[in-house]
Amino acid sequence: MGSEIAHSDGAPAHWRVVEHFGLAWPPQAVHIDLHEPGGQQGQPPAKPLCVVDQTGHTTVAQVIQQGDRATLWYVASLKPYETREYRLVHGDAAPDTAVTFKIGPDAAEWRGPNFGLRLAWASDWARPDPSEPISQWPGPIRAVCGPDGIWFGQGSWQGTAHCKALRCEVIDAGPVIWRLRQAHVLEDGTELTLLYRLDAATPAVEVTQQYSGPATDASLV
């Protein structure tokens, strides 16, 4: 199955989850805090991380380090009043999550069993034609798709402001949590940032929009 990870005091990385409310919880991404992330800060583990329950079922795991805090993410479900025991191991190979993520020359695509997201993307600073308003620049979301695999719903910009540059970044790259960032720098110094959060269990995307700088004539449709 894999080698069990131990904390510095020798105790194995294991924990218990109890359902107290009589509710059935479908598969979802959950997390616990870790005292140690299973390796040096900023270094990926040598082998895939996995979470194993008391029945031997294995699911992928991911450690996200933010400052001094490390959180372990994995996918879990619970039946009413169920108790589950979990332990963290290094597996020889990560279980399949049925999620694919790829970056092309001008688009990034995340695809799960029941949901897909396609974004406008630039690997380096992209500089659109400064003579064109932002309404001529591709919308941040190219398309989404559902279980039928049909892509639809391209977004667009409205307004007369001009986009000076676009920067895209993968913050977290799975296999449980994906966080992606698009930063549009406009002619008046405004930076419009869009953050996308997806996980291996949820057929949806969470989008957060942030502004910095002066107000500008630009909006998303």
Side-chain angles (χ1 to χ4, degrees), residues 104-193:
D106 59 359
E109 182 178 303
W110 185 97
R111 186 77 179 268
N114 298 304
F115 180 75
L117 175 69
R118 190 176 289 159
L119 300 175
W121 201 260
S123 298
D124 298 305
W125 280 103
R127 302 186 183 279
D129 185 344
S131 66
E132 294 182 344
I134 197 170
S135 59
Q136 301 302 310
W137 187 239
I141 296 179
R142 290 282 183 90
V144 296
C145 75
D148 58 8
I150 298 174
W151 293 92
F152 66 96
Q154 180 172 342
S156 62
W157 289 100
Q158 285 189 344
T160 59
H162 291 252
C163 183
K164 294 171 56 179
L166 168 65
R167 176 73 173 181
C168 298
E169 179 187 6
V170 178
I171 303 171
D172 294 304
V176 181
I177 302 293
W178 288 259
R179 288 194 301 153
L180 315 173
R181 177 190 287 129
Q182 295 168 322
H184 295 78
V185 182
L186 306 183
E187 61 182 348
D188 63 359
T190 295
E191 184 167 314
L192 170 59
T193 300

Side-chain angles (χ1 to χ4, degrees), residues 61-100:
Q62 177 183 355
V63 172
I64 295 179
Q65 186 86 31
Q66 293 181 308
D68 294 332
R69 183 188 181 196
T71 54
L72 174 73
W73 288 86
Y74 61 103
V75 174
S77 61
L78 282 175
K79 299 176 182 178
Y81 304 112
E82 183 181 18
T83 297
R84 280 187 178 266
E85 302 275 353
Y86 294 99
R87 57 192 176 94
L88 180 62
V89 303
H90 281 308
D92 294 327
D96 184 13
T97 62
V99 174
T100 60

